[in-house]
Each structure stands twice: as structure tokens, then as C-alpha cells.
Amino acid sequence: MKLLFAASDRDLLRCCTELLGREGYETDTAFDGVQALTKLSRGGCALVILSSDIQRVEPERIIEHCRADGLPVLELLSTPLTLKMLLSNSPANTYLELPFGPEELIGAVSDLTEKLASDTELVFDELSVKVSAFEMNGVPITAEETDVLIELEKGNYRPLGNNGTLVASLNGKFAKLGLRKRIEYRKNEGYRMVKKDE
Amino acid sequence: MNKAKKKFILYAVLAIFVLLTLLLGVINASVFTMAAHDADEITEIIASGKGKFRPEEGMVPGASEDDGREPIGPMGPDSPELFSTVRYFTVSFNTADESKEPKLVAYNISAVSEEEAVEWAKELKNEETGWTRGTYRYRVYERGKKVYVTVIDQGREMLTAYRILMFSVIGIALAVLLSWLFLRFAAKKVFAPVEEADRKQRSFIANAEKDFKLPLTVISANAELIDRANGPTDETRAINRQVRNMDSIVRRLGSLTAFEQEDLAKTEFSLSELVQLALDENEERFVAADIKLDRQIESGISLCGEQEAFMQLMRELIENALKYARQNACFRLFKEGDRVKLVASNGTELPNGSVDQVFDRFTVLANAEKGSVGLGLAYVKAITVRHNGRVSAAVEDGSFVLKLDL
């Protein structure tokens, strides 16, 4: 599987490329946004790892380009993930916040490739989630949001913890789609999907 | 910063108010005392003439060197107009024969009728000297077998004193108002450099946090590559340990910065359960540290806020208790009216005068553990304030207590 790693820091590129190479990923590199777009237009990449600090081209533009070509993007963030990022028109498929350990990077890439190969389709009444497309009724969703939905579909209510931003983002997307659904926290139950008037 | 500005304005206005009140209070007290003194001088002259002025018997206005009286101004004994301008009356009582009716010895006043004058005198004859009916000064004295009550009207003289008082009050109010307006304007100028420094500090922290992340990732990845090539060594273990420490600091800094700048992802959640869960997760650590964990968590308390942030807040409070508690740590969650209160106490003492500093970023107190960077309680404060709550620290019975009002 060929990856494109786009980051303006050469040290980061070198060590991450080597780590990914040892895990069996063939990695091409791009030192700036222009180079990344050029390499993307040539094709041949199955996944893009993009640093949010990439120079010369806004990372959003590169993500839009990838989305249009159906290429999944793992964005490396130098700032914490926010609700605004998740609700943007072109979110990445997954995010990894710096500083990350090597195993986190490999884990994120592996999770993304697994999802790409997945034929799972989740259906909650009017809601349809195609895991491999990272879409929910045509609206882009991230791998993390997909995980929340998978667990909700299984009935494994998410425990209390670090899901507030993801839940808020999913609820925002439900509202955008005009769905009468919400993910709510229920006392003694955790999160669950409910109808708005329930 | 706004809080500091408000404090500055409040204290400055308060200082102006107190200073003016003291100054004008002393001036007004002197004016009233002098008015009473002047009146007493006049009643004394009248008393020396057995209840009235007796110019025909050689009584002259003004203080003399012989009688020891001090001059009291143009309206007093120094004034040749004294005899004709003093409004007064004197009533005498015969002490030898009380059956005799009181006698109006002198009557040179328009505002009081003769009958009223006698009635007033009857009321006052057992007194000595003082004020009656607001602006009338009286003196009671004995001459032979008679008791005299002399009352003089000081209304016009007191009017001046009251006017000074009135203008003093208005002056103070105006001064306070004007100084408040001026200080509001001045505070902007005075605090501009401080605000700029604060902005720069925050910007520096935000950038530093961002700039640290990339090198940490590269160091960590390279250490991993060395490990994979040669196997783990003490050196790479040390590198990884320090990277983890730095990572923790950077993440906390990042959370703090993001928390202050980004919109909150608010949801309704059970705070009671969150607090219980956080304590449950760490119960074994308290046991291992030989700290008795006391929890009084009222059930059914919900909150609308960013749940993740509150989980982090609880973690910070727990870490704080684990670091500093000596024998026991107590967490209480309860409702007081509409407000939710979360109180954490850990039985530890604080260095003198450090209570106000515990929420400052990078403030490491003298009794802090090695490795502390002073971000935990700054984070607690940021979360509480962003949820429109208040946080305070105090030392109660020698123990550090943290109170959150949400």
C-alpha cells in the first residue's frame, strides 16, 4: 500500500517514513503543499498523511482535493482537535494530535486502512453509515465518529469520558441532515441514540 | 485582567471616598464645634448680665483681657452689633419660692412666642447647656436665689454650617463619580502594557506548546527507531521517559490554551456519576499512597457543560490530592439552591501567603513536589470560569480547601 506523507519538517518526514516502512507501508513524501498536490495528481497513493503545518498550500485545500479523489486523509494536528474542525465541510478522515508515539501513528494508519477495506454498513432507521466511505447520509464523518456510531449500533454505550466533542459533532451533523435523532447521555446508561421527541 | 481592572478602580475610588470623607468630616466637625463654642460665648455674656445684655451698665461687646474670654468673630462679642443681632430670651425661676411663676427676663426673638419661651425654659431648667429644637443653644445658670435659662437662636449661623455639610456631601458624591469615570478611562491606559504582556505571554505559551510538539514527536520516533535497531537501552528509556513528561506538559498546555479560546462542546451530563467514576478509577492509587479517601457525593446532580473538560478537572483535583494529601483527602459534591458545589480538601498546609497564587499558571509553590509545573489548578480554574463558575482556594483549619461553585 502506497502512502503519501506530506509535512514541511524533514526530520518528521524521515523518521515517520522509516517507521511506516518497517511496518510494510511504501511511503512517498512531499515537503510542501504544492509538491503534495503535484504528487496527488499523478495518482498511485492509497492514503495521505498530512501535517496541519504544511507550507505553501492550506491543508484544507489538500484535504478537499483528496476527498474529491476519494483518498482518505490522516491529518497530524499541532493544535487540539476542535468541534469546528469536525464540523467543517472538508474534515480529514482521522486526526492525530502531535506529539504522538510511533505506535499511535502506525495504529491510526492501520485503523484507517481497515476501515477502508470494511464492508460494514450501519443503519439507524433513516441514518445510513458506510464505514469505508467515511460518510453518513452523504455527509463526511471521521474514523473516530464512525467508532462512536459503531459502538452505539452494537449497544455498547460509550462510558463517561472523552467523547464530548465527538458526540457534539455528530449531533451537529444530524441537525445539518435534518434528522430527528440525537446522541444523548442517559443517567446510568451512558450515551445512546434517541429520537428527538423521545 | 478585567477583574484586576475592576479591583483597581474599586480600590482607587474607595481610597478617594475615604480620604475626602475624613477630610471633610474633620472640617464639618470643626465648623459645628466652633458654632457651638460661639453660641456658648454669647450665652456666657448674657449670663454675666443676669439674663440680658446691659450696655447701660457698662457692658461692652468683645472679649477683654480681664474676663479671659477669647474673641469669637464679628458676630460674637467682638462685634458692636452683638446686642442688637442676638435673638434670645431668658426666663428666671425663683428657687427660694417655687410657687412664684417663672419670669421672662429678656425677650428679643420673633420665632418663639413668650408663652413658648416660658414652656421651653421649664423643660430646660434642670439641664446645663446644649442644643434644643435643632438650632437653639441654651445655658442654665444660677445667680443668687434664681435660676436663669437663656436660649439663643443660632439658626442663621447654623445654616452656614449645614450648607458646608450639604456641599461636602455633594462634593464627595461628585468626586467619587468623577474619579470613577476618570479611573475607568485611566485604567485602560494603565493596564494597556499589562494586558499586552499578558497577551504576549498567552501567545508565547500557545506557540511554545505548538512548537514543542513537533520536536517531541521526532525525538520519540527516532528513539523508537534506535530501539528497534539496537534494542532498548538505558539511554533510549530515559529519552522516552522525558518525552512522556514533556508530552504530558505540552498536552496540558494545549488543553488549557484550547479551552480558553475554543467553543465549548456542551452536553447535559451527570456530574455525580462523573465524579464517582473519576474517584472509582483512582481509588487504588489512594490506597497505595495510604491516603484515606472520603467522598460525599450527592446523587442526581446534572450539569450542562463540556464533559471531557470536567473529567480532566476531576483528574487534576485527584492528582493534586495524591501529590499533597498527608492522610486523607475529601471530595464533596452537593447542591446549594440552584448552584452546584464541588469541594476538595486534602489536609495539606500551604506556604504562607500562597493561597492566591495557586491558580496562576506555572506557579510552583515551595512545598510542591519535584516535577510539578504549576498547571493543574490553572486548568481547574480555566474550566470552571469557562462554565461561568467560580473557584476559590482557602486554608481552613490548617488544611487546603478548594471550592468550585458551578
Side-chain angles (χ1 to χ4, degrees), chain A residues 102-121:
Chain A
E103 64 288 347
E104 285 178 274
L105 174 67
I106 292 157
V109 172
S110 147
D111 181 53
L112 210 52
T113 47
E114 267 175 38
K115 282 197 171 67
L116 277 172
S118 167
D119 54 3
T120 310
E121 202 165 337

mmCIF file with all atom_site columns, all heavy atoms in Angstrom, chain A residues 102-121:
data_model
loop_
_atom_site.group_PDB
_atom_site.id
_atom_site.type_symbol
_atom_site.label_atom_id
_atom_site.label_alt_id
_atom_site.label_comp_id
_atom_site.label_asym_id
_atom_site.label_entity_id
_atom_site.label_seq_id
_atom_site.pdbx_PDB_ins_code
_atom_site.Cartn_x
_atom_site.Cartn_y
_atom_site.Cartn_z
_atom_site.occupancy
_atom_site.B_iso_or_equiv
_atom_site.pdbx_formal_charge
_atom_site.auth_seq_id
_atom_site.auth_comp_id
_atom_site.auth_asym_id
_atom_site.auth_atom_id
_atom_site.pdbx_PDB_model_num
ATOM 1   N N   . PRO A 1 102 ? 5.204   6.523  18.061 1.00 0.00 ? 102 PRO A N   1
ATOM 2   C CA  . PRO A 1 102 ? 5.236   5.763  16.813 1.00 0.00 ? 102 PRO A CA  1
ATOM 3   C C   . PRO A 1 102 ? 4.070   4.790  16.694 1.00 0.00 ? 102 PRO A C   1
ATOM 4   O O   . PRO A 1 102 ? 3.462   4.652  15.640 1.00 0.00 ? 102 PRO A O   1
ATOM 5   C CB  . PRO A 1 102 ? 6.560   5.008  16.892 1.00 0.00 ? 102 PRO A CB  1
ATOM 6   C CG  . PRO A 1 102 ? 7.395   5.808  17.828 1.00 0.00 ? 102 PRO A CG  1
ATOM 7   C CD  . PRO A 1 102 ? 6.477   6.421  18.815 1.00 0.00 ? 102 PRO A CD  1
ATOM 8   N N   . GLU A 1 103 ? 3.747   4.123  17.841 1.00 0.00 ? 103 GLU A N   1
ATOM 9   C CA  . GLU A 1 103 ? 2.667   3.132  17.782 1.00 0.00 ? 103 GLU A CA  1
ATOM 10  C C   . GLU A 1 103 ? 1.315   3.791  17.507 1.00 0.00 ? 103 GLU A C   1
ATOM 11  O O   . GLU A 1 103 ? 0.429   3.200  16.893 1.00 0.00 ? 103 GLU A O   1
ATOM 12  C CB  . GLU A 1 103 ? 2.617   2.278  19.065 1.00 0.00 ? 103 GLU A CB  1
ATOM 13  C CG  . GLU A 1 103 ? 2.285   2.986  20.352 1.00 0.00 ? 103 GLU A CG  1
ATOM 14  C CD  . GLU A 1 103 ? 3.409   3.880  20.868 1.00 0.00 ? 103 GLU A CD  1
ATOM 15  O OE1 . GLU A 1 103 ? 4.566   3.813  20.388 1.00 0.00 ? 103 GLU A OE1 1
ATOM 16  O OE2 . GLU A 1 103 ? 3.100   4.658  21.769 1.00 0.00 ? 103 GLU A OE2 1
ATOM 17  N N   . GLU A 1 104 ? 1.172   5.048  17.935 1.00 0.00 ? 104 GLU A N   1
ATOM 18  C CA  . GLU A 1 104 ? -0.092  5.745  17.675 1.00 0.00 ? 104 GLU A CA  1
ATOM 19  C C   . GLU A 1 104 ? -0.247  6.028  16.189 1.00 0.00 ? 104 GLU A C   1
ATOM 20  O O   . GLU A 1 104 ? -1.337  5.907  15.629 1.00 0.00 ? 104 GLU A O   1
ATOM 21  C CB  . GLU A 1 104 ? -0.144  7.063  18.453 1.00 0.00 ? 104 GLU A CB  1
ATOM 22  C CG  . GLU A 1 104 ? -0.398  6.897  19.936 1.00 0.00 ? 104 GLU A CG  1
ATOM 23  C CD  . GLU A 1 104 ? -0.382  8.225  20.672 1.00 0.00 ? 104 GLU A CD  1
ATOM 24  O OE1 . GLU A 1 104 ? 0.721   8.668  21.064 1.00 0.00 ? 104 GLU A OE1 1
ATOM 25  O OE2 . GLU A 1 104 ? -1.461  8.836  20.815 1.00 0.00 ? 104 GLU A OE2 1
ATOM 26  N N   . LEU A 1 105 ? 0.870   6.430  15.562 1.00 0.00 ? 105 LEU A N   1
ATOM 27  C CA  . LEU A 1 105 ? 0.823   6.715  14.125 1.00 0.00 ? 105 LEU A CA  1
ATOM 28  C C   . LEU A 1 105 ? 0.512   5.440  13.343 1.00 0.00 ? 105 LEU A C   1
ATOM 29  O O   . LEU A 1 105 ? -0.385  5.423  12.485 1.00 0.00 ? 105 LEU A O   1
ATOM 30  C CB  . LEU A 1 105 ? 2.177   7.294  13.672 1.00 0.00 ? 105 LEU A CB  1
ATOM 31  C CG  . LEU A 1 105 ? 2.335   7.500  12.168 1.00 0.00 ? 105 LEU A CG  1
ATOM 32  C CD1 . LEU A 1 105 ? 1.394   8.586  11.673 1.00 0.00 ? 105 LEU A CD1 1
ATOM 33  C CD2 . LEU A 1 105 ? 3.769   7.853  11.809 1.00 0.00 ? 105 LEU A CD2 1
ATOM 34  N N   . ILE A 1 106 ? 1.216   4.386  13.704 1.00 0.00 ? 106 ILE A N   1
ATOM 35  C CA  . ILE A 1 106 ? 1.004   3.116  12.998 1.00 0.00 ? 106 ILE A CA  1
ATOM 36  C C   . ILE A 1 106 ? -0.431  2.627  13.239 1.00 0.00 ? 106 ILE A C   1
ATOM 37  O O   . ILE A 1 106 ? -1.114  2.164  12.325 1.00 0.00 ? 106 ILE A O   1
ATOM 38  C CB  . ILE A 1 106 ? 2.061   2.077  13.448 1.00 0.00 ? 106 ILE A CB  1
ATOM 39  C CG1 . ILE A 1 106 ? 3.433   2.531  12.938 1.00 0.00 ? 106 ILE A CG1 1
ATOM 40  C CG2 . ILE A 1 106 ? 1.731   0.688  12.938 1.00 0.00 ? 106 ILE A CG2 1
ATOM 41  C CD1 . ILE A 1 106 ? 4.597   1.975  13.704 1.00 0.00 ? 106 ILE A CD1 1
ATOM 42  N N   . GLY A 1 107 ? -0.882  2.767  14.493 1.00 0.00 ? 107 GLY A N   1
ATOM 43  C CA  . GLY A 1 107 ? -2.253  2.361  14.839 1.00 0.00 ? 107 GLY A CA  1
ATOM 44  C C   . GLY A 1 107 ? -3.284  3.133  14.027 1.00 0.00 ? 107 GLY A C   1
ATOM 45  O O   . GLY A 1 107 ? -4.263  2.561  13.528 1.00 0.00 ? 107 GLY A O   1
ATOM 46  N N   . ALA A 1 108 ? -3.073  4.444  13.889 1.00 0.00 ? 108 ALA A N   1
ATOM 47  C CA  . ALA A 1 108 ? -4.030  5.274  13.159 1.00 0.00 ? 108 ALA A CA  1
ATOM 48  C C   . ALA A 1 108 ? -4.077  4.896  11.683 1.00 0.00 ? 108 ALA A C   1
ATOM 49  O O   . ALA A 1 108 ? -5.157  4.798  11.083 1.00 0.00 ? 108 ALA A O   1
ATOM 50  C CB  . ALA A 1 108 ? -3.665  6.754  13.318 1.00 0.00 ? 108 ALA A CB  1
ATOM 51  N N   . VAL A 1 109 ? -2.888  4.645  11.107 1.00 0.00 ? 109 VAL A N   1
ATOM 52  C CA  . VAL A 1 109 ? -2.839  4.263  9.682  1.00 0.00 ? 109 VAL A CA  1
ATOM 53  C C   . VAL A 1 109 ? -3.520  2.908  9.492  1.00 0.00 ? 109 VAL A C   1
ATOM 54  O O   . VAL A 1 109 ? -4.327  2.718  8.577  1.00 0.00 ? 109 VAL A O   1
ATOM 55  C CB  . VAL A 1 109 ? -1.366  4.216  9.187  1.00 0.00 ? 109 VAL A CB  1
ATOM 56  C CG1 . VAL A 1 109 ? -1.278  3.625  7.785  1.00 0.00 ? 109 VAL A CG1 1
ATOM 57  C CG2 . VAL A 1 109 ? -0.762  5.603  9.211  1.00 0.00 ? 109 VAL A CG2 1
ATOM 58  N N   . SER A 1 110 ? -3.211  2.001  10.402 1.00 0.00 ? 110 SER A N   1
ATOM 59  C CA  . SER A 1 110 ? -3.778  0.656  10.302 1.00 0.00 ? 110 SER A CA  1
ATOM 60  C C   . SER A 1 110 ? -5.309  0.711  10.467 1.00 0.00 ? 110 SER A C   1
ATOM 61  O O   . SER A 1 110 ? -6.041  0.033  9.743  1.00 0.00 ? 110 SER A O   1
ATOM 62  C CB  . SER A 1 110 ? -3.092  -0.208 11.351 1.00 0.00 ? 110 SER A CB  1
ATOM 63  O OG  . SER A 1 110 ? -3.927  -1.157 11.862 1.00 0.00 ? 110 SER A OG  1
ATOM 64  N N   . ASP A 1 111 ? -5.786  1.530  11.400 1.00 0.00 ? 111 ASP A N   1
ATOM 65  C CA  . ASP A 1 111 ? -7.233  1.657  11.611 1.00 0.00 ? 111 ASP A CA  1
ATOM 66  C C   . ASP A 1 111 ? -7.919  2.218  10.358 1.00 0.00 ? 111 ASP A C   1
ATOM 67  O O   . ASP A 1 111 ? -8.986  1.758  9.958  1.00 0.00 ? 111 ASP A O   1
ATOM 68  C CB  . ASP A 1 111 ? -7.482  2.588  12.817 1.00 0.00 ? 111 ASP A CB  1
ATOM 69  C CG  . ASP A 1 111 ? -8.952  2.748  13.120 1.00 0.00 ? 111 ASP A CG  1
ATOM 70  O OD1 . ASP A 1 111 ? -9.638  1.721  13.272 1.00 0.00 ? 111 ASP A OD1 1
ATOM 71  O OD2 . ASP A 1 111 ? -9.428  3.910  13.176 1.00 0.00 ? 111 ASP A OD2 1
ATOM 72  N N   . LEU A 1 112 ? -7.249  3.201  9.775  1.00 0.00 ? 112 LEU A N   1
ATOM 73  C CA  . LEU A 1 112 ? -7.808  3.837  8.576  1.00 0.00 ? 112 LEU A CA  1
ATOM 74  C C   . LEU A 1 112 ? -7.874  2.831  7.417  1.00 0.00 ? 112 LEU A C   1
ATOM 75  O O   . LEU A 1 112 ? -8.893  2.751  6.715  1.00 0.00 ? 112 LEU A O   1
ATOM 76  C CB  . LEU A 1 112 ? -6.917  5.027  8.199  1.00 0.00 ? 112 LEU A CB  1
ATOM 77  C CG  . LEU A 1 112 ? -7.579  6.207  7.517  1.00 0.00 ? 112 LEU A CG  1
ATOM 78  C CD1 . LEU A 1 112 ? -8.775  6.702  8.288  1.00 0.00 ? 112 LEU A CD1 1
ATOM 79  C CD2 . LEU A 1 112 ? -6.575  7.345  7.351  1.00 0.00 ? 112 LEU A CD2 1
ATOM 80  N N   . THR A 1 113 ? -6.821  2.050  7.257  1.00 0.00 ? 113 THR A N   1
ATOM 81  C CA  . THR A 1 113 ? -6.817  1.081  6.139  1.00 0.00 ? 113 THR A CA  1
ATOM 82  C C   . THR A 1 113 ? -7.854  -0.028 6.377  1.00 0.00 ? 113 THR A C   1
ATOM 83  O O   . THR A 1 113 ? -8.506  -0.486 5.453  1.00 0.00 ? 113 THR A O   1
ATOM 84  C CB  . THR A 1 113 ? -5.419  0.462  5.936  1.00 0.00 ? 113 THR A CB  1
ATOM 85  O OG1 . THR A 1 113 ? -4.929  0.058  7.201  1.00 0.00 ? 113 THR A OG1 1
ATOM 86  C CG2 . THR A 1 113 ? -4.450  1.447  5.350  1.00 0.00 ? 113 THR A CG2 1
ATOM 87  N N   . GLU A 1 114 ? -8.003  -0.399 7.655  1.00 0.00 ? 114 GLU A N   1
ATOM 88  C CA  . GLU A 1 114 ? -9.030  -1.417 7.985  1.00 0.00 ? 114 GLU A CA  1
ATOM 89  C C   . GLU A 1 114 ? -10.412 -0.914 7.622  1.00 0.00 ? 114 GLU A C   1
ATOM 90  O O   . GLU A 1 114 ? -11.231 -1.633 7.056  1.00 0.00 ? 114 GLU A O   1
ATOM 91  C CB  . GLU A 1 114 ? -8.991  -1.725 9.481  1.00 0.00 ? 114 GLU A CB  1
ATOM 92  C CG  . GLU A 1 114 ? -8.104  -2.893 9.838  1.00 0.00 ? 114 GLU A CG  1
ATOM 93  C CD  . GLU A 1 114 ? -8.013  -3.083 11.339 1.00 0.00 ? 114 GLU A CD  1
ATOM 94  O OE1 . GLU A 1 114 ? -9.038  -2.891 12.024 1.00 0.00 ? 114 GLU A OE1 1
ATOM 95  O OE2 . GLU A 1 114 ? -6.899  -3.372 11.819 1.00 0.00 ? 114 GLU A OE2 1
ATOM 96  N N   . LYS A 1 115 ? -10.661 0.334  7.950  1.00 0.00 ? 115 LYS A N   1
ATOM 97  C CA  . LYS A 1 115 ? -11.986 0.910  7.669  1.00 0.00 ? 115 LYS A CA  1
ATOM 98  C C   . LYS A 1 115 ? -12.211 1.022  6.166  1.00 0.00 ? 115 LYS A C   1
ATOM 99  O O   . LYS A 1 115 ? -13.321 0.825  5.682  1.00 0.00 ? 115 LYS A O   1
ATOM 100 C CB  . LYS A 1 115 ? -12.114 2.270  8.352  1.00 0.00 ? 115 LYS A CB  1
ATOM 101 C CG  . LYS A 1 115 ? -12.393 2.152  9.836  1.00 0.00 ? 115 LYS A CG  1
ATOM 102 C CD  . LYS A 1 115 ? -12.909 3.431  10.428 1.00 0.00 ? 115 LYS A CD  1
ATOM 103 C CE  . LYS A 1 115 ? -13.396 3.230  11.848 1.00 0.00 ? 115 LYS A CE  1
ATOM 104 N NZ  . LYS A 1 115 ? -12.371 2.899  12.819 1.00 0.00 ? 115 LYS A NZ  1
ATOM 105 N N   . LEU A 1 116 ? -11.128 1.339  5.469  1.00 0.00 ? 116 LEU A N   1
ATOM 106 C CA  . LEU A 1 116 ? -11.252 1.469  4.011  1.00 0.00 ? 116 LEU A CA  1
ATOM 107 C C   . LEU A 1 116 ? -11.661 0.138  3.381  1.00 0.00 ? 116 LEU A C   1
ATOM 108 O O   . LEU A 1 116 ? -12.394 0.109  2.389  1.00 0.00 ? 116 LEU A O   1
ATOM 109 C CB  . LEU A 1 116 ? -9.903  1.898  3.409  1.00 0.00 ? 116 LEU A CB  1
ATOM 110 C CG  . LEU A 1 116 ? -9.588  3.385  3.433  1.00 0.00 ? 116 LEU A CG  1
ATOM 111 C CD1 . LEU A 1 116 ? -8.158  3.609  2.997  1.00 0.00 ? 116 LEU A CD1 1
ATOM 112 C CD2 . LEU A 1 116 ? -10.527 4.135  2.498  1.00 0.00 ? 116 LEU A CD2 1
ATOM 113 N N   . ALA A 1 117 ? -11.178 -0.921 4.003  1.00 0.00 ? 117 ALA A N   1
ATOM 114 C CA  . ALA A 1 117 ? -11.467 -2.247 3.452  1.00 0.00 ? 117 ALA A CA  1
ATOM 115 C C   . ALA A 1 117 ? -12.767 -2.833 4.006  1.00 0.00 ? 117 ALA A C   1
ATOM 116 O O   . ALA A 1 117 ? -13.218 -3.894 3.571  1.00 0.00 ? 117 ALA A O   1
ATOM 117 C CB  . ALA A 1 117 ? -10.301 -3.173 3.775  1.00 0.00 ? 117 ALA A CB  1
ATOM 118 N N   . SER A 1 118 ? -13.351 -2.137 4.957  1.00 0.00 ? 118 SER A N   1
ATOM 119 C CA  . SER A 1 118 ? -14.541 -2.675 5.636  1.00 0.00 ? 118 SER A CA  1
ATOM 120 C C   . SER A 1 118 ? -15.775 -2.603 4.733  1.00 0.00 ? 118 SER A C   1
ATOM 121 O O   . SER A 1 118 ? -15.951 -1.646 3.975  1.00 0.00 ? 118 SER A O   1
ATOM 122 C CB  . SER A 1 118 ? -14.777 -1.874 6.918  1.00 0.00 ? 118 SER A CB  1
ATOM 123 O OG  . SER A 1 118 ? -16.039 -2.160 7.426  1.00 0.00 ? 118 SER A OG  1
ATOM 124 N N   . ASP A 1 119 ? -16.616 -3.631 4.840  1.00 0.00 ? 119 ASP A N   1
ATOM 125 C CA  . ASP A 1 119 ? -17.870 -3.552 4.090  1.00 0.00 ? 119 ASP A CA  1
ATOM 126 C C   . ASP A 1 119 ? -19.045 -3.308 5.045  1.00 0.00 ? 119 ASP A C   1
ATOM 127 O O   . ASP A 1 119 ? -20.198 -3.520 4.711  1.00 0.00 ? 119 ASP A O   1
ATOM 128 C CB  . ASP A 1 119 ? -18.078 -4.825 3.267  1.00 0.00 ? 119 ASP A CB  1
ATOM 129 C CG  . ASP A 1 119 ? -17.993 -6.073 4.135  1.00 0.00 ? 119 ASP A CG  1
ATOM 130 O OD1 . ASP A 1 119 ? -17.827 -5.916 5.371  1.00 0.00 ? 119 ASP A OD1 1
ATOM 131 O OD2 . ASP A 1 119 ? -18.111 -7.181 3.594  1.00 0.00 ? 119 ASP A OD2 1
ATOM 132 N N   . THR A 1 120 ? -18.724 -2.895 6.252  1.00 0.00 ? 120 THR A N   1
ATOM 133 C CA  . THR A 1 120 ? -19.769 -2.640 7.258  1.00 0.00 ? 120 THR A CA  1
ATOM 134 C C   . THR A 1 120 ? -20.626 -1.449 6.857  1.00 0.00 ? 120 THR A C   1
ATOM 135 O O   . THR A 1 120 ? -20.119 -0.414 6.420  1.00 0.00 ? 120 THR A O   1
ATOM 136 C CB  . THR A 1 120 ? -19.128 -2.354 8.643  1.00 0.00 ? 120 THR A CB  1
ATOM 137 O OG1 . THR A 1 120 ? -18.199 -3.381 8.912  1.00 0.00 ? 120 THR A OG1 1
ATOM 138 C CG2 . THR A 1 120 ? -20.163 -2.260 9.732  1.00 0.00 ? 120 THR A CG2 1
ATOM 139 N N   . GLU A 1 121 ? -21.889 -1.622 7.034  1.00 0.00 ? 121 GLU A N   1
ATOM 140 C CA  . GLU A 1 121 ? -22.816 -0.514 6.794  1.00 0.00 ? 121 GLU A CA  1
ATOM 141 C C   . GLU A 1 121 ? -23.764 -0.450 7.987  1.00 0.00 ? 121 GLU A C   1
ATOM 142 O O   . GLU A 1 121 ? -24.403 -1.441 8.335  1.00 0.00 ? 121 GLU A O   1
ATOM 143 C CB  . GLU A 1 121 ? -23.574 -0.754 5.492  1.00 0.00 ? 121 GLU A CB  1
ATOM 144 C CG  . GLU A 1 121 ? -24.118 0.538  4.931  1.00 0.00 ? 121 GLU A CG  1
ATOM 145 C CD  . GLU A 1 121 ? -24.550 0.409  3.486  1.00 0.00 ? 121 GLU A CD  1
ATOM 146 O OE1 . GLU A 1 121 ? -24.044 -0.504 2.791  1.00 0.00 ? 121 GLU A OE1 1
ATOM 147 O OE2 . GLU A 1 121 ? -25.392 1.207  3.081  1.00 0.00 ? 121 GLU A OE2 1
#
